[in-house]
Amino acid sequence: MMRQKIPVIAAKSRLSVMDTFFISHGSPTLSIDESLPARGFLQAWQAKVFSQRPNSILVISAHWDTDFPSVNVVQRNDTIHDFYGFPKQMYDLKYPAPGAPELAKRVKDLLKASGIKHVNEDRKRGLDHGAWVPLMLMYPEADIPVCQLSVQMHHTGTYHYNIGKALAPLKEEGVLIIGSGSATHNLRALQFESSSISSWALEFDNWLKDALLEGSYEDVNHYEQKAPHAKKAHPWPEHIYPLHVAMGAAGANAKAELIHSSWHYGALSYSSYRFKTSR
């Protein structure tokens, strides 16, 4: 039986193997609030974190949950303002990055080759705030093609880790893989008037940091059983699953690095990680 040949995206420029990243995007107010340290971190992305210019960007966002993996296949990304009750100026923000239909096709082919039978194409969806808010700060020119990939809340961390493993070849094709979620995400536990950090949030965040930096990726895949206060830190898993994809794409021997840490509202962690892939 002949194996299906998966087309490779032709590289526009010769690049070294890309690292993968997990970005905690926190509150949508990151788009306008100059007081947030995470905003400055993302604005300094190209100068201080990652100077390589990718050919295209794949974002796995916590804010797109589907029954089956889905990619958006568009020529130009609309800006989705998927939040409510925020200042009007946030709804005027646009991030009209080009779409990446070739990348979307490549992602679909890789996932199907890994054994995932159903991978859907969405030909209308643009970028939700889990994608465009950090990208607006990281790449403000909005001139790099962007594709989004959805998460599946009803699946597990291991499932999303394996999705990342299937996407690993993209790192050699000039594609920057970014998981966009949050290290902690319990909106009902936010403390709007407090400057102190909730103990449960800090304990979970520290456990996650230690597990990642030690390379205990299997523990992170099973964080629900391994981590302290896992259910309180993530009542629903959609904001941690992008981490699993970035982690899986980097590979079992990748070295994790904490590249930013700050807090908002006493329980919302902006901890973000780089996964340095084996060269």
Side-chain angles (χ1 to χ4, degrees), residues 89-146:
Q89 68 190 100
M90 292 171 57
Y91 299 93
D92 295 331
L93 296 173
K94 304 292 182 185
Y95 190 78
E102 289 184 14
L103 174 56
K105 176 66 164 56
R106 176 77 168 130
V107 169
K108 182 176 180 178
D109 289 342
L110 286 170
L111 293 181
K112 296 193 80 169
S114 75
I116 296 177
K117 294 182 179 179
H118 301 288
V119 182
N120 295 331
E121 297 181 6
D122 190 320
R123 296 184 173 273
K124 294 183 179 180
R125 185 181 178 89
L127 302 178
D128 60 55
H129 81 271
W132 68 261
V133 169
L135 288 179
M136 179 184 71
L137 302 172
M138 297 159 70
Y139 298 102
E141 299 84 1
D143 59 354
I144 300 175
V146 181

Side-chain angles (χ1 to χ4, degrees), residues 14-255:
R14 187 168 293 277
L15 294 167
S16 59
V17 178
M18 291 280 181
D19 294 334
T20 68
F21 293 87
F22 172 71
I23 302 297
S24 288
H25 62 250
S27 167
T29 55
L30 181 65
S31 61
I32 61 169
D33 189 347
E34 298 285 353
S35 72
L36 294 175
R39 182 178 170 90
F41 155 66
L42 292 172
Q43 287 175 322
W45 181 265
Q46 296 180 65
K48 296 183 178 181
V49 181
F50 194 68
S51 60
Q52 288 178 257
R53 179 180 172 85
N55 290 334
S56 56
I57 300 172
L58 176 65
V59 180
I60 301 91
S61 170
H63 293 279
W64 191 16
D65 172 53
T66 56
D67 290 336
F68 302 103
S70 300
V71 287
N72 74 324
V73 186
V74 296
Q75 294 299 321
R76 178 71 58 178
N77 281 295
D78 290 331
T79 306
I80 304 173
H81 299 89
D82 51 337
F83 41 77
Y84 308 95
F86 287 88
K88 180 182 180 302
Q89 68 190 100
M90 292 171 57
Y91 299 93
D92 295 331
L93 296 173
K94 304 292 182 185
Y95 190 78
E102 289 184 14
L103 174 56
K105 176 66 164 56
R106 176 77 168 130
V107 169
K108 182 176 180 178
D109 289 342
L110 286 170
L111 293 181
K112 296 193 80 169
S114 75
I116 296 177
K117 294 182 179 179
H118 301 288
V119 182
N120 295 331
E121 297 181 6
D122 190 320
R123 296 184 173 273
K124 294 183 179 180
R125 185 181 178 89
L127 302 178
D128 60 55
H129 81 271
W132 68 261
V133 169
L135 288 179
M136 179 184 71
L137 302 172
M138 297 159 70
Y139 298 102
E141 299 84 1
D143 59 354
I144 300 175
V146 181
C147 173
Q148 263 199 241
L149 172 65
S150 65
V151 297
Q152 287 72 64
M153 277 181 59
H154 59 286
H155 279 295
T156 64
T158 297
Y159 165 90
H160 287 86
Y161 181 84
N162 287 334
I163 281 183
K165 285 175 64 177
L167 299 176
L170 297 176
K171 297 178 303 180
E172 300 182 13
E173 299 166 19
V175 178
L176 178 59
I177 299 174
I178 299 173
S180 179
S182 193
T184 61
H185 193 262
N186 186 337
L187 300 184
R188 295 182 179 180
L190 299 183
Q191 304 174 65
F192 295 98
E193 305 300 327
S194 175
S195 59
S196 63
I197 303 169
S198 297
S199 59
W200 60 265
L202 188 59
E203 287 178 31
F204 180 90
D205 194 60
N206 284 337
W207 176 89
L208 184 62
K209 177 187 67 177
D210 291 343
L212 290 172
L213 298 190
E214 292 167 6
S216 300
Y217 299 148
E218 270 302 295
D219 285 352
V220 179
N221 283 343
H222 300 281
Y223 76 95
E224 304 100 317
Q225 294 81 36
K226 300 286 187 177
H229 315 292
K231 191 64 176 177
K232 187 154 190 178
H234 290 278
W236 297 273
E238 78 287 345
H239 272 75
I240 197 168
Y241 282 166
L243 167 64
H244 293 97
V245 180
M247 195 168 66
N253 297 321
K255 301 297 183 184

